[in-house]
């Protein structure tokens, strides 16, 4: 064989070898991805089954005529943060809600409206039949009482709930590799065990789970309203981190982080439906804070809501969910609420 022909044959052989290697590597990568996806799916399904906890005797919102499906309908989600730590000795059923965030999702434009609800908001609680701090609704009747209170407050359905304790919050943030958040001031704060071990540094910071929780809870230097805004910011930061490409390999850790520390009435398939909102990156999120004023006229602190602004918020939510306004569905005649009922609530739960 001539040298010239030998070189040509060798070059051709090397070319085919490179192609074979690329094919094998591509196939191997495909197998790994499929295996990882299958493993992740199995892990997620197990976690979803563990977290699934429907509200008793409530297959759907009383405001809905039919059940909704996230893939086809505009829906709402109530996020409840609770402190069921051993230090407080409250347990899940007796704990007050430490954070309340309500979101409506519009399927057409993939937009989200996110409302923070100050824990000291003075509202009517259907479970007990009188007004009190909204944080006490969970202590009075758990998830069900909290949902009923929110539905009455905004006159819109609560289609789903997600309830997390402090451990789940910390673990999820850590599993995502932390979040970027703006810290408003320098301050030493309590950790999840109520010990002053957390130092928050002013400015844009990369926070782990413990520091993110401390930021979500702090309010001593400003107000409960500002606290709610921080909780909105933190939830958006978690969402942004979760939909980023670099977080894909961390999903398994996130699923494991949830463990026994989260409860929801969403099925696994319903959870997957919400992935549509993450296609193309972070969805549009509009934040809303409930206006109001401080009130100490009874000797107990309350956040009295601005009723005019509350009506505007109701309209925004109804429009976003594309509902026909029907204020008679859950309207409460507040003039019939007596001072004695309010006094009873103050004696039962002074914060």
């Amino acid at each position: 064989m001539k040298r010239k022909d030998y070189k040509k044959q060798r070059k051709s052989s090397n070319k085919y070898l490179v192609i074979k290697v690329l094919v094998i590597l591509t196939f191997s990568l495909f197998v790994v991805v499929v295996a990882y996806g299958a493993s992740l799916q199995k892990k997620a399904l197990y976690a979803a089954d563990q977290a699934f906890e429907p509200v008793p005797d409530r297959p759907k919102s009383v405001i809905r005529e039919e059940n909704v499906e996230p893939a086809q309908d505009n829906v709402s989600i109530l996020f409840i943060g609770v402190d069921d730590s051993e230090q407080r000795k409250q347990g899940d059923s007796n704990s007050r809600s430490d954070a309340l965030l309500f979101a409506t999702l519009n399927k057409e434009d993939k937009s989200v409206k996110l409302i923070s609800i100050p824990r000291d908001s003075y509202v009517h609680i259907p479970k007990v039949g009188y007004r009190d701090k909204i944080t006490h609704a969970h202590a009075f009747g758990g998830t069900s009482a909290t949902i009923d209170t929110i539905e009455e407050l905004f006159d819109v359905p609560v289609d789903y709930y997600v309830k997390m304790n402090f451990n789940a919050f910390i673990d999820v943030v850590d599993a995502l590799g932390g979040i970027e958040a703006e810290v408003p001031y320098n301050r030493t704060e309590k950790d999840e065990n109520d010990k002053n071990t957390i130092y928050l540094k002013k400015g844009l910071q990369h926070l782990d789970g413990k520091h993110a929780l401390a930021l979500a809870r702090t309010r001593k230097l400003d107000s409960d309203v500002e606290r709610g805004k921080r909780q909105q910011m933190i939830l958006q930061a978690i969402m942004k981190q979760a939909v980023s490409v670099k977080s894909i390999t961390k999903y398994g850790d996130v699923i494991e982080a949830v463990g026994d520390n989260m409860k929801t009435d969403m099925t696994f398939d319903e959870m997957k439906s919400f992935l549509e909102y993450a296609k193309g990156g972070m969805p549009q999120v509009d934040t809303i804070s409930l206006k109001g004023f401080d009130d100490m006229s009874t000797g107990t602190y309350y956040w009295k809501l601005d009723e005019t602004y509350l009506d505007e918020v109701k309209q925004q939510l109804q429009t976003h969910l594309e509902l026909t306004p029907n204020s008679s569905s859950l309207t409460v005649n507040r003039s019939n609420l007596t001072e004695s009922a309010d006094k009873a609530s103050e004696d039962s739960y002074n914060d």
Side-chain angles (χ1 to χ4, degrees), residues 244-305:
S244 67
V245 175
K246 63 182 180 181
S247 293
I248 293 176
T249 58
K250 299 176 182 177
Y251 287 165
D253 294 333
V254 173
I255 293 167
E256 288 181 351
V258 171
D260 298 324
N261 297 310
M262 185 185 91
K263 296 298 178 186
T264 181
D265 56 353
M266 289 186 220
T267 64
F268 183 54
D269 286 339
E270 287 170 333
M271 290 181 191
K272 289 193 296 182
S273 297
F274 288 107
L275 292 175
E276 287 294 321
Y277 285 84
K279 282 186 176 179
M282 181 75 173
Q284 176 189 336
V285 180
D286 299 322
T287 58
I288 301 172
S289 296
L290 294 180
K291 296 178 181 179
F293 58 93
D294 301 322
D295 182 85
M296 281 288 293
S297 60
T298 62
T300 299
Y301 174 77
Y302 294 106
W303 179 253
K304 293 290 186 70
L305 298 176

Side-chain angles (χ1 to χ4, degrees), residues 58 62-63 100 121-156 158 329-334 337 341-342 345:
R58 191 182 189 273
V62 296
I63 301 179
L100 284 174
S121 297
Y122 190 57
V123 302
H124 181 259
I125 300 176
K127 175 69 177 180
V128 292
Y130 53 75
R131 288 196 230 182
D132 202 342
K133 296 181 180 184
I134 199 167
T135 183
H136 295 156
H138 193 271
F140 289 142
T143 303
S144 178
T146 304
I147 289 175
D148 290 343
T149 302
I150 296 297
E151 286 195 330
E152 185 174 280
L153 179 64
F154 294 125
D155 199 17
V156 295
V158 174
S329 61
L330 283 175
T331 299
V332 176
N333 184 358
R334 290 181 171 83
L337 302 175
D342 289 340
S345 71

Side-chain angles (χ1 to χ4, degrees), residues 16-293:
Y16 284 120
L17 179 61
V18 170
I19 293 174
K20 286 180 181 179
V21 170
L22 287 175
V23 169
I24 291 172
L25 287 175
T26 302
F27 179 73
S28 299
L29 180 61
F30 175 76
V31 170
V32 169
V33 170
V34 170
Y36 175 74
S39 173
L40 202 62
Q41 175 101 349
K42 185 177 180 179
K43 187 182 291 186
L45 181 58
Y46 176 77
D49 287 341
Q50 292 294 105
F52 186 63
E53 186 174 276
V55 181
D57 303 320
R58 191 182 189 273
K60 63 176 181 60
S61 168
V62 296
I63 301 179
R64 295 286 193 188
E65 293 182 1
E66 298 178 351
N67 289 328
V68 293
E69 295 182 20
Q72 301 177 14
D73 304 299
N74 303 321
V75 298
S76 66
I77 307 173
L78 176 62
F79 297 92
I80 308 172
V82 295
D83 177 6
D84 59 1
S85 61
E86 293 181 3
Q87 284 71 21
R88 297 295 178 89
K89 297 180 180 179
Q90 294 178 341
D92 176 59
S93 59
N94 297 319
S95 61
R96 304 170 189 177
S97 55
D98 200 66
L100 284 174
L101 292 164
F102 183 59
T104 57
L105 296 87
N106 186 284
K107 68 180 189 322
E108 294 298 329
D109 56 14
K110 298 294 185 293
S111 63
V112 179
K113 290 193 180 295
L114 182 63
I115 305 177
S116 63
I117 305 161
R119 67 197 302 271
D120 293 326
S121 297
Y122 190 57
V123 302
H124 181 259
I125 300 176
K127 175 69 177 180
V128 292
Y130 53 75
R131 288 196 230 182
D132 202 342
K133 296 181 180 184
I134 199 167
T135 183
H136 295 156
H138 193 271
F140 289 142
T143 303
S144 178
T146 304
I147 289 175
D148 290 343
T149 302
I150 296 297
E151 286 195 330
E152 185 174 280
L153 179 64
F154 294 125
D155 199 17
V156 295
V158 174
D159 296 309
Y160 301 102
Y161 82 89
V162 175
K163 181 162 66 175
M164 277 184 152
N165 63 19
F166 289 171
N167 291 330
F169 180 89
I170 291 171
D171 291 345
V172 166
V173 173
D174 285 343
L176 287 170
I179 60 170
E180 298 289 330
E182 189 71 35
V183 179
Y185 39 64
N186 296 321
R187 178 171 172 78
T188 299
E189 264 295 342
K190 295 182 183 298
D191 60 18
E192 70 278 15
N193 297 314
D194 281 342
K195 295 180 180 179
N196 290 313
T197 64
I198 303 298
Y199 179 68
L200 295 173
K201 185 178 179 181
K202 185 177 180 179
L204 182 64
Q205 305 293 340
H206 186 85
L207 304 177
D208 63 9
K210 288 178 178 286
H211 285 76
L213 176 64
L215 180 61
R217 299 179 69 195
T218 186
R219 61 170 177 162
K220 298 298 183 182
L221 296 186
D222 40 42
S223 67
D224 202 29
V225 174
E226 292 304 313
R227 181 181 193 243
K229 291 178 181 178
R230 283 193 289 277
Q231 290 170 354
Q232 290 174 323
M233 174 188 66
I234 289 169
L235 184 56
Q236 289 185 78
I238 292 173
M239 292 169 61
K240 183 177 180 180
Q241 188 73 352
V243 301
S244 67
V245 175
K246 63 182 180 181
S247 293
I248 293 176
T249 58
K250 299 176 182 177
Y251 287 165
D253 294 333
V254 173
I255 293 167
E256 288 181 351
V258 171
D260 298 324
N261 297 310
M262 185 185 91
K263 296 298 178 186
T264 181
D265 56 353
M266 289 186 220
T267 64
F268 183 54
D269 286 339
E270 287 170 333
M271 290 181 191
K272 289 193 296 182
S273 297
F274 288 107
L275 292 175
E276 287 294 321
Y277 285 84
K279 282 186 176 179
M282 181 75 173
Q284 176 189 336
V285 180
D286 299 322
T287 58
I288 301 172
S289 296
L290 294 180
K291 296 178 181 179
F293 58 93

